[in-house]
Amino acid sequence: MRVIQRNNVTVSGSGRRTIVFAHGFGCDQQAWKDVIPAFSTEYRTVAFDHVGAGQSDLSAFDPEKYGSLHGYKRDILEVLDALDLSDVIFAGHSVAGMMGMLAAIERPDRFASLIMVCPSPCYVDEPGYKGGFSRQDLDELLEVIDSNFLG
C-alpha cells in the first residue's frame, strides 16, 4: 500500500460512513485537527497530505504529474482505492475542493457528496474573470510559501 505512505494517510474514528478530509495548498492535514474529532464518534475519518505537503513522501513529487490538478485528483482516487472506500463524504478546502470535484466526476461511485470549503474554479485573474490573484500576486505567494512555509 505505497499510496498510504506516499500521502501519509491517517484513518481514525468509527462508523459506517466515511468522511475524507483534504487540505488546500500551503498547509497539510493538520488543518483539520480541530474538525476531525467532532466527527470521529459517528464517522470513520480519513485525512492525508498532498504530495509535497506535510509528512507526504516528498521524493514522489513529479512536476509533470503535479503540474495540474489532475495529478492530485489521481492521488485522491488512489487513496480511496487503497482503502476500498465508496460512498464517501469528501470535504475539500480551497483548491482541494476542486480536486475532489474532478475525482467525483471521474469516479462518481466513490462519492456520496462533496463539501467544498472556499473553492474557486480559477485562482488567477484573467480578462473578464476575477479569481482573486494576479499572476504576480500568485507567484509572490508561492515564493513566500516556499521560503517560509511555517510563517
Side-chain angles (χ1 to χ4, degrees):
M1 278 207 210
R2 171 147 163 64
V3 65
I4 300 302
Q5 290 78 32
R6 180 191 68 203
N7 290 95
N8 187 37
V9 176
T10 304
V11 179
S12 61
S14 58
R16 292 177 30 206
R17 303 281 317 273
T18 301
I19 304 175
V20 176
F21 293 93
H23 64 84
F25 284 155
C27 55
D28 62 17
Q29 67 181 275
Q30 291 301 306
W32 299 103
K33 70 179 174 50
D34 294 327
V35 175
I36 289 173
F39 295 94
S40 61
T41 58
E42 294 184 38
Y43 295 88
R44 178 169 44 162
T45 62
V46 175
F48 64 95
D49 293 326
H50 296 294
V51 169
Q55 299 300 308
S56 68
D57 179 358
L58 300 180
S59 70
F61 186 79
D62 175 356
E64 185 174 326
K65 176 180 180 180
Y66 297 110
S68 79
L69 297 185
H70 294 281
Y72 294 99
K73 169 203 69 174
R74 282 195 304 270
D75 286 358
I76 291 168
L77 293 173
E78 288 174 5
V79 167
L80 298 180
D81 288 343
L83 297 174
D84 194 26
L85 296 175
S86 60
D87 202 37
V88 302
I89 301 164
F90 182 89
H93 172 247
S94 189
V95 71
M98 303 312 292
M99 295 169 192
M101 178 201 64
L102 292 170
I105 289 169
E106 183 171 320
R107 297 280 304 279
D109 58 303
R110 294 288 186 194
F111 298 85
S113 57
L114 300 175
I115 300 168
M116 297 179 170
V117 182
C118 301
S120 176
C122 183
Y123 294 92
V124 180
D125 296 342
E126 299 287 344
Y129 176 79
K130 179 100 171 121
F133 295 99
S134 68
R135 172 61 64 188
Q136 180 180 347
D137 289 341
L138 191 57
D139 288 342
E140 289 172 4
L141 175 63
L142 292 173
E143 185 176 316
V144 167
I145 290 170
D146 189 45
S147 66
N148 184 10
F149 180 76
L150 292 177

